[in-house]
Amino acid sequence: MAIFYQQQNRIFTLQTKQTTYQMKVDDFGFLLHLYYGGRISGNMDYLLTYYDRGFSGNPYDVGNNRTYSMDVLPQEYPTMGIGDYRNSGLIIRNHDESECCDLRYVGYNIREGKYGLSGLPAVHADLHEAETLEITLEDRVSKMQVRLLYGVLEEEDIITRSVEIGNNGENTVTVEKAASACLDFISGDYDLISFYGRHAMERNLQRTAIAHGSYVIGSRRGTSSHQYNPAVIVASPDTTEDNGSCYGMVFVYSGNFMCEAEKDQYEQTRVIMGLQSDLFHYSLAPGETFTVPETILCYSDRGFSDLSIKYHRCIRKHICRGRYNDCSRPILVNSWEAAYYDFTGETILQLAQDAAGLGIDMVVMDDGWFGKRGDDNSGLGDWQVNEEKLDCTLGELIRKINDIGVKFGIWIEPEMVSEDSELYREHPDWAIQIPGRKPVRGRNQLVLDFSRAEVRNYIYRQICNVLDQGNIEYVKWDMNRSITDIFSTGNSQGKVVYDYVLGVYDFLEKLTAQYPEILVEGCSGGGGRFDAGMMYYTPQIWCSDNTDALDRLRIQYGTSFFYPMSVVGAHVSAAPNHQTGRNISLHTRGIVAMTGAFGYELSLAKLSEEDKEEIREQIRLYKEYEELIRTGDYYRLSNPFQDAYAAWMHVSDDKKQVLLHVVMLENHGNMTVSYVRLKNLLSDTVYEDVHSGQRYYGSALMKAGIPMLVELGEYRAYRFIFRACVE
Ligand code: GLA
């Protein structure tokens, strides 16, 4: 049992293995937040204090009690219009244009299993793994009914939150803002850790104190974006990787989002995660319901490492789905950085032949195989195989590739249309643009209106037609621009951005159900849609268009705070690197890419015999440790933005097998020695370094660490494999 309700004082308690979450319905029917943090016993309503606070108004029904104000009390789901002047989780514009929603308690329901959300990705669990609490609140005047959904995964220390907003009234209302989670802290100082970036440099960590005023991150780009990831950590100022208190909030959504953190006049902190309110006005007719995407909450009092491990497990087991979630991924070579648009069928076949000689499992034909697509200015939307370019049918090409023992995968970008395409000439109104205005172009392409079923169904048929032409075992689903000019000819304008994302989910749901054997890898100019929403459909996502090993270390470091390594697509590319011009050894590039779902992205034909030999060895090693990398616990052992080295490790569940990788970032004259300390080993167990045969106690590896070699050369990288010795 994880969810408890005490009838006499109307307190709800959610218990996980190591955390407690508590809330209370008070005498006026408001749902107040009491506590979230390390596991405790007892009722926490003694924490609530009441004082007469000037300029903080009092709800009418509290009578002359001037000490009761929503402006001060901690709340579960704060709304606009009830005297709380802090950030709101919900803003409803009523039929009479007033902005007020006064939610009071109606009832609750507790059930076994985890709730699901219609049309949206959400944490899933077996019946015995989770419980659901549903609390119904209502505005007695407008009859808006709000159901707060809580999913509790006791063993995983995970609590999920989502909200269903139902219009039970007689008039249409508009949802102007909707969040799925609010964390109100009555005391304490907190930092907000968010992950900002740009195309080809995603998920850099930023830590800022939550101060008076509001600190807001989010996206208005139509996707979750390269610029801010929809996941944050709220931590005590002294929290480190290994110590201290921290809360995670991960939004399971791939479109516009907003996270607001503020400290109020009484030094209380509020953090809200939900949908972006700009470009969003969702009208709800009587009888209709709107669902706010889920936020996954997690708390640890043992620092960021522990928080990350919990998110990794949750996302890998309870978000990602499909056959490939639990089995080894093919090592692939992708044609993009090998040939860009300049290929024929022969080029792809040659790449497959070279791949076969190295032990690579799959060749992926990236952008350029369809319509008129000699470069990135035309052809999107015309999903017909360019047989002239390939010099054969797609089926023939795949057969030839399969005949040499190599699997075949293909790139698609279903959400897009080029103005120079047959599709656009036929259906210009299918592109998102405002009538009478010239649209903003991005990569010279426009975005198709996936909020409209007829548009996505047409594209769906085109894509299926391609997938049915041969034995396609992998699809890379790309999305290469941000959305602007929000307007739809078939929808109401304030709904477009949300319905668009649900349209993408609908497409992906159908695609993955119809082709369960295909591995779908997500991508949006690399990591522009690297979020838990996409991970529900695509258990692997291309982490960044930046394949430079040094930059990748940092991108993968930021990514690892929430997302499991099984999702992180990581490839070895050419030197000098195409994004940075940096020259890094093949050995180091291999080590960096071996952090996640491993592959190659370079012309294999240009490799020297020596490089080919090294690649064969990389592949042998990756195959040996693929399961450990995919399913083991991943620990960051340094901060590559600050430290002289980057280090990380994968350790098996039983802690008996360890893979440690280190890349030296600094080299100076008369260089100092770096000591790398491991984590989460068995203290009293002896581990053997399989290469050197040297033995160490787990406690020694964790407390004192091991010295790195001081060697000449830039970005030297080291791999250590430790095995627990069975005496
Ligand atoms: C995006 C992807 C790349 C590649 C190109 C093709 O940028 O991230 O990997 O597929 O599109 O146009």
Side-chain angles (χ1 to χ4, degrees):
M1 274 267 286
I3 302 176
F4 304 88
Y5 177 60
Q6 297 170 50
Q7 183 74 48
Q8 66 282 18
N9 44 24
R10 299 203 288 185
I11 288 182
F12 293 96
T13 306
L14 317 180
Q15 293 285 18
T16 70
K17 235 162 74 180
Q18 287 166 1
T19 71
T20 302
Y21 190 110
Q22 203 174 71
M23 55 205 145
K24 174 188 174 68
V25 182
D26 77 358
D27 293 346
F28 306 105
F30 288 110
L31 185 63
L32 301 181
H33 178 75
L34 295 182
Y35 176 82
Y36 183 32
R39 197 176 158 111
I40 45 109
S41 310
N43 294 341
M44 306 302 279
D45 47 352
Y46 73 89
L47 292 172
L48 299 175
T49 59
Y50 299 88
Y51 294 98
D52 182 354
R53 304 289 194 185
F55 289 83
S56 288
N58 321 106
Y60 203 83
D61 48 335
V62 308
N64 291 333
N65 180 359
R66 288 174 33 166
T67 69
Y68 190 102
S69 177
M70 303 319 289
D71 202 20
V72 186
L73 286 165
Q75 298 177 60
E76 269 305 295
Y77 199 53
T79 61
M80 176 69 89
I82 58 163
D84 182 351
Y85 298 91
R86 296 170 287 181
N87 292 318
S88 307
L90 179 70
I91 302 181
I92 298 284
R93 188 154 47 83
N94 298 304
H95 183 62
D96 61 5
E97 302 279 307
S98 63
E99 287 187 10
C100 177
C101 188
D102 182 357
L103 294 176
R104 307 292 177 106
Y105 180 70
V106 174
Y108 78 98
N109 173 278
I110 294 173
R111 55 180 186 270
E112 242 193 317
K114 162 74 178 44
Y115 64 85
L117 299 175
S118 141
L120 280 163
V123 162
H124 56 84
D126 291 343
L127 207 57
H128 66 274
E129 290 175 322
E131 283 173 45
T132 292
L133 166 66
E134 186 180 305
I135 299 181
T136 305
L137 308 171
E138 189 183 53
D139 179 301
R140 291 169 190 154
V141 176
S142 68
K143 302 286 180 234
M144 289 302 294
Q145 263 211 358
V146 168
R147 275 182 299 282
L148 303 183
L149 298 166
Y150 298 83
V152 185
L153 278 68
E154 190 175 353
E155 282 301 305
E156 314 278 358
D157 283 319
I158 291 290
I159 295 176
T160 66
R161 291 196 56 180
S162 180
V163 179
E164 287 171 351
I165 302 164
N167 182 358
N168 282 5
E170 284 168 7
N171 297 303
T172 297
V173 303
T174 308
V175 184
E176 297 285 355
K177 180 183 182 190
S180 53
C182 169
L183 290 181
D184 266 2
F185 301 91
I186 49 174
S187 66
D189 287 326
Y190 298 91
D191 290 343
L192 187 80
I193 297 167
S194 54
F195 296 85
Y196 71 96
R198 56 188 184 274
H199 175 229
M201 206 58 227
E202 300 89 338
R203 291 174 294 284
N204 302 275
L205 183 152
Q206 173 161 286
R207 184 171 186 162
T208 33
I210 301 178
H212 294 281
S214 219
Y215 181 83
V216 186
I217 63 152
S219 164
R220 300 181 188 90
R221 294 171 176 270
T223 57
S224 48
S225 89
H226 300 86
Q227 286 70 16
Y228 295 98
N229 196 263
V232 297
I233 298 173
V234 182
S236 295
D238 57 354
T239 300
T240 63
E241 280 282 0
D242 301 309
N243 291 296
S245 173
C246 48
Y247 300 80
M249 300 176 93
V250 172
F251 201 36
V252 188
Y253 189 61
S254 313
N256 291 356
F257 77 98
M258 178 159 66
C259 174
E260 299 166 287
E262 74 175 307
K263 191 181 252 194
D264 75 7
Q265 54 183 333
Y266 301 110
E267 312 292 330
Q268 307 186 109
T269 296
R270 170 172 289 176
V271 186
I272 292 182
M273 179 66 93
L275 292 168
Q276 169 65 253
S277 56
D278 288 353
L279 301 167
F280 174 83
H281 316 274
Y282 211 95
S283 62
L284 269 191
E288 285 183 346
T289 297
F290 178 81
T291 308
V292 190
E294 181 168 278
T295 297
I296 309 174
L297 301 176
C298 183
Y299 170 79
S300 173
D301 56 12
R302 284 181 284 158
F304 305 131
S305 265
D306 189 52
L307 191 78
S308 295
I309 295 288
K310 287 176 169 154
Y311 272 115
H312 294 171
R313 288 185 187 157
C314 172
I315 291 175
R316 192 163 56 76
K317 293 193 205 149
H318 299 286
I319 283 279
C320 297
R321 301 177 301 168
R323 175 169 114 76
Y324 275 97
N325 192 29
D326 291 319
C327 70
S328 56
R329 311 289 168 75
I331 297 178
L332 59 86
V333 58
N334 180 296
S335 68
W336 182 241
E337 288 194 26
Y340 296 99
Y341 295 101
D342 187 16
F343 63 83
T344 62
E346 195 44 43
T347 322
I348 302 295
L349 184 59
Q350 187 57 51
L351 194 60
Q353 261 151 1
D354 294 336
L358 297 172
I360 294 174
D361 303 312
M362 176 186 278
V363 65
V364 174
M365 181 163 70
D366 208 280
D367 195 354
W369 55 265
F370 53 91
K372 187 186 125 204
R373 185 74 172 166
D375 55 34
D376 57 9
N377 295 302
S378 63
L380 290 167
D382 296 340
W383 299 108
Q384 288 84 38
V385 179
N386 185 341
E387 294 180 353
E388 212 178 305
K389 179 168 178 173
L390 295 187
D391 211 16
C392 61
T393 66
L394 180 60
E396 281 160 2
L397 176 63
I398 297 173
R399 266 195 305 280
K400 285 187 214 156
I401 290 172
N402 284 174
D403 282 350
I404 52 175
V406 175
K407 297 174 195 287
F408 179 82
I410 200 163
W411 176 97
I412 57 173
E413 195 180 0
E415 298 155 78
M416 294 295 152
V417 65
S418 306
E419 284 163 274
D420 184 3
S421 69
E422 293 309 318
L423 182 70
Y424 187 75
R425 281 185 276 274
E426 236 172 88
H427 296 286
D429 65 308
W430 282 13
I432 296 181
Q433 52 186 323
I434 303 170
R437 292 179 194 271
K438 295 286 178 214
V440 173
R441 289 175 173 149
R443 209 192 190 198
N444 258 346
Q445 61 196 53
L446 303 179
V447 184
L448 286 172
D449 186 357
F450 263 38
S451 76
R452 286 166 65 185
E454 57 173 325
V455 176
R456 53 179 196 268
N457 290 345
Y458 172 87
I459 300 292
Y460 187 76
R461 286 194 298 276
Q462 305 298 308
I463 297 292
C464 290
N465 182 38
V466 173
L467 298 182
D468 293 340
Q469 287 178 32
N471 180 27
I472 296 178
E473 299 184 65
Y474 162 105
V475 165
K476 175 174 169 190
W477 175 305
D478 213 338
M479 199 292 184
N480 277 322
R481 61 158 289 180
S482 302
I483 308 179
T484 46
D485 302 281
I486 306 300
F487 189 92
S488 169
T489 358
N491 202 347
S492 93
Q493 307 320 323
K495 292 185 171 181
V496 177
V497 288
Y498 175 87
D499 288 356
Y500 177 91
V501 179
L502 266 71
V504 172
Y505 291 153
D506 174 60
F507 195 126
L508 277 161
E509 184 68 47
K510 277 201 285 193
L511 190 77
T512 48
Q514 187 164 340
Y515 300 95
E517 298 300 316
I518 293 183
L519 167 61
V520 184
E521 174 158 357
C523 178
S524 174
R529 206 158 53 178
F530 201 102
D531 57 65
M534 285 307 283
M535 289 170 200
Y536 189 69
Y537 307 95
T538 63
Q540 192 167 310
I541 301 182
W542 183 224
C543 182
S544 176
D545 267 352
N546 188 341
T547 55
D548 174 88
L550 176 63
D551 281 352
R552 263 303 182 110
L553 283 172
R554 294 177 175 150
I555 296 167
Q556 289 169 189
Y557 167 81
T559 303
S560 78
F561 276 81
F562 297 102
Y563 305 111
M565 290 306 124
S566 56
V567 176
V568 175
H571 298 170
V572 172
S573 63
N577 179 269
H578 292 191
Q579 290 82 43
T580 62
R582 208 169 353 238
N583 257 306
I584 294 185
S585 73
L586 181 56
H587 175 65
T588 301
R589 281 177 277 148
I591 280 188
V592 174
M594 248 181 239
T595 309
F598 183 66
Y600 292 86
E601 182 127 357
L602 75 176
S603 166
L604 302 174
K606 291 189 191 145
L607 293 169
S608 65
E609 276 315 308
E610 200 186 327
D611 284 352
K612 284 187 181 163
E613 214 27 68
E614 187 161 352
I615 286 181
R616 282 189 196 100
E617 177 59 11
Q618 287 177 346
I619 289 170
R620 192 195 61 72
L621 260 164
Y622 185 72
K623 291 204 164 155
E624 192 173 343
Y625 292 99
E626 192 272 343
E627 193 179 340
L628 176 61
I629 293 169
R630 184 166 43 82
T631 66
D633 283 342
Y634 172 90
Y635 286 94
R636 296 173 293 274
L637 302 179
S638 77
N639 176 348
F641 286 95
Q642 288 168 5
D643 297 331
Y645 60 91
W648 63 98
M649 64 179 265
H650 302 263
V651 52
S652 60
D653 245 8
D654 63 6
K655 305 183 185 185
K656 292 193 169 155
Q657 222 191 353
V658 181
L659 185 61
L660 164 67
H661 284 130
V662 183
V663 178
M664 304 312 293
L665 302 177
E666 300 270 343
N667 216 357
H668 304 287
N670 201 9
M671 187 60 188
T672 50
V673 179
S674 294
Y675 292 82
V676 175
R677 291 185 184 83
L678 282 74
K679 287 186 185 169
N680 199 30
L681 305 182
L682 300 163
S683 291
D684 298 331
T685 296
V686 173
Y687 289 84
E688 184 175 278
D689 175 336
V690 294
H691 292 305
S692 68
Q694 193 156 342
R695 292 179 168 207
Y696 314 83
Y697 272 100
S699 52
L701 289 173
M702 291 193 289
K703 292 186 195 304
I706 46 168
M708 291 299 112
L709 283 176
V710 172
E711 288 187 304
L712 295 188
E714 272 201 309
Y715 312 119
R716 292 228 169 234
Y718 305 95
R719 171 182 299 112
F720 298 85
I721 298 159
F722 295 102
R723 293 223 178 94
C725 301
V726 196
E727 298 297 336

